[in-house]
Amino acid sequence: MVKKKWKRNLMLMSAITGLGFTTLYPGLTTKTQASGLPDQPLPKEESVSVVQLEVPNQKAKDKLLELGIDLAHRASEHSGILEVDAVVTPTELAMLKTFGIKVKDTLITEKEWKARTAERQTAVQQEANLTAAEDSVKILRANYYTNQSETFLYVEAKTSAGAAASTALTATWTENGVEKSATLERFEDANQYMYHFLEIPVSSIPSSVKITSNLGGFAVSSVTEWLGVDKPGSPKKHYVKDFVDHYMAPAELYERANKLAKEFPDLVEIIDMPNKTNGYRRLAQATVGSSTNSSVVITSKVWGHEGGNDISVEFRNPEISDSPLKVTIDGKKILVDLATDSSAKVTSTAKQVVDALNSDAKELVSATTYRGIAGAETVSPATATLTDGLKAPASVSRDPFTVKAIRIGKHRDGSKPGVLGYAQEHAREWVTPLVTIETAERLLRNYAYNGETKKLVDNLDIFLVPTVNPDGANYSFYDYNMQRKNMTNYCGQDKSDQGFRNSWGVDINRNHSVGSAFDGYVGASTTNCTSSTYAGPSETSEPEAKNIVWLADKFSNIKFAMNIHSYGGYFMWSPGAYDANRTTLPRPTAGEEAFYWAASDTILNDIQDHRGTVILPSRTGPVPDVLYSAAGNSADYLWYAKGIYAWDFEVGADLWNKDRQRWEAVGFQPAFSEGHEEAMEFANGLIGMIKVAYNNSKDHQPPSSKAVPGNGKFSGPVEVSFETSEAATIYYTLDGRRPTFESEKIKLSGIREDAETLKVDKTTTINWFAVDAAGNIEKNYNPLSKGNNFNSVTLTIK
Ligand SMILES: [Zn+2]
């Protein structure tokens, strides 16, 4: 597992500070390149770590952005000093120090990443071993008992594959001739699988119970009366959860989704989205040479795994005088006989070798000088084998990926309101897919026995996309943990040697068409292909972004969406971007904003229920009010272009360290024990949003509203405010016309403030109506027809 980022500071430092290489690297050889810069040894790879930086002032913060430092989502401010988390190399840190930016804390080092990956590999292997074959199921007890109020069925069962959280046991039994079923709860103590159990009220005593595993094993037992006189207290509502026990790579997520589709064919289907990713694949490359002005970058014409990796090159001194430069191809072997002078000394420059390869080996490779440098120095004899550098085992597909959505609902015909949860636009955010998988399992496995779950699944059309960016995710799991973007390289030949391989790609959450960097919004780069927030060559250029657009187009019943990221513990909504003047995209109306806040209440309470995590008020609200500007993000697209209520989660709230008396960041890839808790609490939150959608769908009650003050005579100017019975948008006119959807809307009076008031300083009639988030219009007024049952007050100013 390599998690390194090539030193990309040489040119950066020179560009930013105006210093030449000689100043920074005295003592190096000073053979001059055509650009006037000395020939340099090729830069070496450095490891990266996630650190918390202390940024003393706005100027230093701007510097950070200007340098394109890879920032995490989390940021906070204490007494004027800004703290941001960033992914940096030691060289970048040294440079930041010169701008007064200091490291406050090191959050994750390369060593810890390696430990995470090893932990995951062990779990994957363990699961594979456990679930490879049919399991054996043993029923430990099957009892009934009756307390003061009800009769209960209680079952304990054990499966040989119980240590894997994906193993699920289902009980079936008969009550009064009707077959019932429910998923058993898995009980683990101190990471040790104990057994599965079930305790639920029954209307008649079943004679037997059958336990079936999703791996195929089963067992049957008769149900006997519990002999003990001690009756348990009032049992909890039966609700099963906890179906993830390690970080899951894309193939595993889809395998799990397919398994669920097979087990619950009536409730779930898998949707193949039409835009395939570019694939976890690369061209094979080699940089032959040891210095910038004498190196040749060679790139295969075919993908590494399709033959590029088999290509080898040899630069050879033919050891004869006055020999010409000559390229010979033998199968996948390219032999370059370098030109020599009268004393058999090599005279071919890097540029000459590049030209020869492009002419005589063009079937196999293309060649360039190093990063646009002239290549004026003579090359040295050397051999190299081209490689795509990809480290995932061959079992991880290199083909373009079909991104999948799990569609859950009893009626999946578009007739029910749609809800969308999508995760892992950013590859390194490993917890986020687990939130969707856990949510899917809970919805399906609790359907049969939990009334609340059944209600949601029967009345909604739920779409879950576990990983939007599977190529980047594979790269993050197998090659470079801190991968954020997809793997598509849009850099020209100057930045396409493998030294940049961890910096290529498009930020999927900056590639959308609303409030984009192409339109002048802040928080993404349109020019720097290696920036961590590179917006791509054009709006919606990437298949990963196109798929979300396709989903929203194809399923126009989708009304609510959650874009799941990590980390920091944020809960946010539109607007998500502002321009260079800090003018944001249009703010939601006061009524829409009120709805966003009201929904937060449900969702954040559900998150808190798991282990008490509080999503702080300072991290709840429109994106630019609590975090930063994110030009071209997907939630803004869904809200502004598709009218979908769209939120962003940043899972992984800071943890309070009691000993140190401070909040500590959890990072992108916390130890699984923490990642697991985050997945559990944010699955609560995602189901909370699904509940909000359900309640919205059942809201057929029009809002009511009143103007304060109302009709009357006033001696001077009056501030008029509106009171509504629920979160609702007010459309109004002040010139006596009928109010319509084209009329003015009551806005917020300011950022994080209440609704505005209307200042009336001359006699005015206000006509208005209110619309709630479900689209119900006050008094069933129809703004599109000719009716007049809108509200009206006249304020007479003397
Ligand atoms: Zn993210």
Side-chain angles (χ1 to χ4, degrees):
M1 229 37 52
V2 180
K3 290 100 202 168
K4 288 176 194 287
K5 165 155 125 180
W6 283 73
K7 214 170 179 179
R8 54 178 150 84
N9 57 291
L10 280 169
M11 291 176 180
L12 199 65
M13 282 180 88
S14 159
I16 300 301
T17 61
L19 301 173
F21 289 125
T22 343
T23 320
L24 290 164
Y25 292 88
L28 288 175
T29 56
T30 51
K31 285 187 279 181
T32 304
Q33 302 178 167
S35 55
L37 297 170
D39 195 21
Q40 297 288 320
L42 293 182
K44 295 217 164 50
E45 275 196 334
E46 288 188 297
S47 67
V48 296
S49 44
V50 182
V51 296
Q52 189 172 97
L53 299 172
E54 212 174 84
V55 184
N57 50 43
Q58 188 61 37
K59 221 180 121 197
K61 188 187 167 193
D62 291 345
K63 206 77 211 174
L64 211 58
L65 297 173
E66 186 187 326
L67 292 172
I69 295 294
D70 185 359
L71 299 178
H73 298 305
R74 177 184 177 276
S76 62
E77 200 173 338
H78 312 282
S79 43
I81 293 177
L82 192 72
E83 283 176 10
V84 293
D85 297 356
V87 184
V88 285
T89 62
T91 311
E92 284 170 338
L93 277 182
M95 173 172 42
L96 292 175
K97 215 171 154 188
T98 65
F99 300 109
I101 298 171
K102 285 185 303 200
V103 173
K104 195 167 173 203
D105 213 349
T106 299
L107 302 172
I108 302 174
T109 62
E110 184 173 349
K111 204 173 137 203
E112 286 164 310
W113 294 338
K114 284 187 172 158
R116 300 282 185 278
T117 319
E119 179 188 62
R120 189 186 108 74
Q121 277 313 328
T122 309
V124 169
Q125 197 48 54
Q126 199 176 23
E127 186 185 24
N129 295 343
L130 280 167
T131 59
E134 188 174 300
D135 56 344
S136 63
V137 174
K138 199 167 144 189
I139 298 179
L140 306 174
R141 69 171 57 249
N143 295 138
Y144 71 90
Y145 48 78
T146 304
N147 69 6
Q148 299 84 340
S149 47
E150 279 189 277
T151 298
F152 292 87
L153 171 65
Y154 179 77
V155 187
E156 278 174 19
K158 210 169 184 169
T159 148
S160 56
S166 61
T167 307
L169 297 183
T170 305
T172 44
W173 68 96
T174 306
E175 277 173 48
N176 296 323
V178 182
E179 189 174 281
K180 300 264 187 160
S181 74
T183 300
L184 279 70
E185 212 165 313
R186 184 165 159 273
F187 176 38
E188 210 185 77
D189 187 51
N191 288 326
Q192 183 74 43
Y193 167 64
M194 307 293 283
Y195 49 83
H196 282 72
F197 70 99
L198 174 79
E199 181 181 51
I200 34 184
V202 286
S203 58
S204 71
I205 298 162
S207 58
S208 70
V209 60
K210 180 178 180 183
I211 307 292
T212 313
S213 160
N214 58 345
L215 295 172
F218 69 91
V220 181
S221 166
S222 55
V223 176
T224 56
E225 186 170 18
W226 171 245
L227 298 177
V229 276
D230 288 343
K231 310 286 189 203
S234 104
K236 287 183 303 182
K237 243 197 200 161
H238 180 68
Y239 188 81
V240 288
K241 56 186 179 189
D242 199 348
F243 299 99
V244 291
D245 58 8
H246 62 274
Y247 291 121
M248 293 165 81
E252 288 178 88
L253 296 167
Y254 290 170
E255 194 188 311
R256 182 76 76 90
N258 286 333
K259 248 166 110 175
L260 289 172
K262 226 170 112 188
E263 189 176 346
F264 300 94
D266 292 346
L267 300 178
V268 59
E269 67 193 79
I270 305 300
I271 295 173
D272 287 347
M273 296 208 258
N275 302 284
K276 286 191 178 190
T277 66
N278 189 43
Y280 171 76
R281 59 183 181 179
R282 282 198 168 146
L283 300 172
Q285 292 189 293
T287 299
V288 188
S290 58
S291 74
T292 51
N293 212 1
S294 69
S295 290
V296 177
V297 178
I298 303 171
T299 305
S300 65
K301 288 278 167 82
V302 297
W303 300 108
H305 68 288
E306 288 175 350
N309 289 339
D310 306 329
I311 298 172
S312 65
V313 219
E314 182 177 358
F315 293 176
R316 185 171 70 172
N317 181 345
E319 310 285 356
I320 39 176
S321 55
D322 296 318
S323 182
L325 175 60
K326 195 176 82 184
V327 175
T328 319
I329 295 178
D330 175 14
K332 292 289 182 76
K333 194 166 165 359
I334 303 170
L335 181 63
V336 179
D337 281 310
L338 301 166
T340 55
D341 61 12
S342 54
S343 55
K345 213 178 130 222
V346 170
T347 58
S348 295
T349 65
K351 177 70 168 92
Q352 287 164 346
V353 171
V354 163
D355 292 344
L357 285 169
N358 284 336
S359 154
D360 299 339
K362 60 174 182 286
E363 304 298 314
L364 288 179
V365 297
S366 64
T368 64
T369 56
Y370 185 74
R371 299 188 183 182
I373 287 166
E377 294 290 330
T378 50
V379 301
S380 306
T383 57
T385 302
L386 274 58
T387 171
D388 61 12
L390 297 176
K391 302 209 171 50
S395 58
V396 174
S397 170
R398 265 65 173 168
D399 293 332
F401 230 99
T402 298
V403 182
K404 291 167 193 280
I406 309 171
R407 185 182 190 183
I408 296 173
K410 183 71 187 164
H411 309 282
R412 301 180 304 279
D413 54 5
S415 66
K416 301 290 179 186
V419 189
L420 166 65
Y422 58 106
Q424 207 169 30
E425 286 184 324
H426 292 149
R428 63 194 175 194
E429 299 166 10
W430 289 6
V431 177
T432 62
L434 304 183
V435 174
T436 60
I437 285 294
E438 173 71 15
T439 297
E441 292 262 5
R442 287 192 199 175
L443 291 172
L444 295 168
R445 299 204 179 280
N446 288 304
Y447 179 82
Y449 217 88
N450 180 271
E452 175 83 2
T453 303
K454 186 170 191 306
K455 197 172 77 180
L456 301 177
V457 173
D458 281 348
N459 290 288
L460 296 169
D461 199 355
I462 300 161
F463 300 84
L464 300 169
V465 184
T467 177
V468 173
N469 177 9
D471 300 343
N474 278 326
Y475 199 66
S476 174
F477 278 113
Y478 297 106
D479 298 274
Y480 174 62
N481 285 54
M482 284 298 114
Q483 178 74 12
R484 169 183 165 102
K485 305 184 285 178
N486 71 5
M487 285 180 67
T488 306
N489 175 10
Y490 286 105
C491 292
Q493 64 178 39
D494 291 0
K495 282 185 170 181
S496 284
D497 65 87
Q498 280 183 327
F500 287 105
R501 70 182 186 276
N502 294 337
S503 308
W504 295 327
V506 177
D507 185 341
I508 303 308
N509 204 27
R510 299 292 185 278
N511 186 234
H512 283 272
S513 58
V514 169
S516 76
F518 301 95
D519 295 336
Y521 285 81
V522 172
S525 173
T526 57
T527 51
N528 181 1
C529 63
T530 58
S531 159
S532 65
T533 54
Y534 178 53
S538 59
E539 290 175 351
T540 329
S541 56
E542 301 309 289
E544 294 87 349
K546 285 188 176 121
N547 281 330
I548 296 299
V549 171
W550 177 85
L551 257 186
D553 283 344
K554 170 96 178 167
F555 304 102
S556 55
N557 56 329
I558 295 176
K559 298 245 166 13
F560 295 90
M562 184 69 74
N563 181 11
I564 307 165
H565 286 256
S566 79
Y567 59 91
Y570 288 83
F571 184 56
M572 303 177 290
W573 54 86
S574 292
Y578 49 75
D579 64 16
N581 303 315
R582 221 184 187 286
T583 305
T584 65
L585 286 164
R587 295 249 168 202
T589 66
E592 290 159 347
E593 183 81 359
F595 178 76
Y596 271 119
W597 281 103
S600 311
D601 213 46
T602 307
I603 295 166
L604 300 187
N605 270 303
D606 285 352
I607 291 172
Q608 192 180 16
D609 279 350
H610 178 68
R611 57 164 172 170
T613 296
V614 174
I615 302 303
L616 304 175
S618 59
R619 293 185 177 194
T620 302
V623 179
D625 301 356
V626 297
L627 191 60
Y628 48 46
S629 176
N633 71 78
S634 56
D636 273 344
Y637 172 78
L638 295 175
W639 170 244
Y640 292 103
K642 308 303 292 183
I644 294 169
Y645 276 93
W647 286 273
D648 305 284
F649 269 156
E650 295 284 352
V651 315
D654 294 356
L655 300 173
W656 179 251
N657 184 324
K658 232 175 157 177
D659 299 331
R660 296 172 71 185
Q661 285 290 298
R662 50 168 292 180
W663 292 102
E664 288 180 349
V666 294
F668 297 111
Q669 297 144 11
F672 187 75
S673 55
E674 166 60 22
H676 172 266
E677 292 300 287
E678 293 172 16
M680 292 303 123
E681 64 194 1
F682 279 87
N684 275 13
L686 188 53
I687 292 169
M689 184 195 67
I690 296 169
K691 285 195 276 186
V692 166
Y694 172 80
N695 291 336
N696 184 264
S697 76
K698 293 295 160 193
D699 176 6
H700 301 301
Q701 176 76 38
S704 63
S705 65
K706 77 177 193 197
V708 183
N711 288 311
K713 290 193 169 91
F714 305 89
S715 54
V718 184
E719 301 276 338
V720 180
S721 60
F722 293 88
E723 288 175 359
T724 55
S725 59
E726 60 177 307
T729 296
I730 306 275
Y731 293 81
Y732 68 93
T733 64
L734 300 175
D735 58 5
R737 284 182 304 163
R738 289 179 73 243
T740 67
F741 287 125
E742 308 299 314
S743 303
E744 287 294 319
K745 296 169 268 195
I746 292 291
K747 302 189 282 279
L748 294 178
S749 52
I751 293 169
R752 296 171 88 73
E753 291 179 27
D754 291 337
E756 64 181 344
T757 55
L758 299 178
K759 191 169 179 184
V760 174
D761 51 14
K762 59 177 198 292
T763 297
T764 301
T765 296
I766 307 176
N767 293 334
W768 83 92
F769 63 92
V771 185
D772 69 17
N776 299 304
I777 303 179
E778 187 169 14
K779 301 179 191 167
N780 295 317
Y781 169 61
N782 184 352
L784 304 173
S785 77
K786 291 201 157 54
N788 277 325
N789 54 333
F790 50 81
N791 300 307
S792 185
V793 295
T794 299
L795 295 96
T796 307
I797 312 288
K798 278 186 279 188

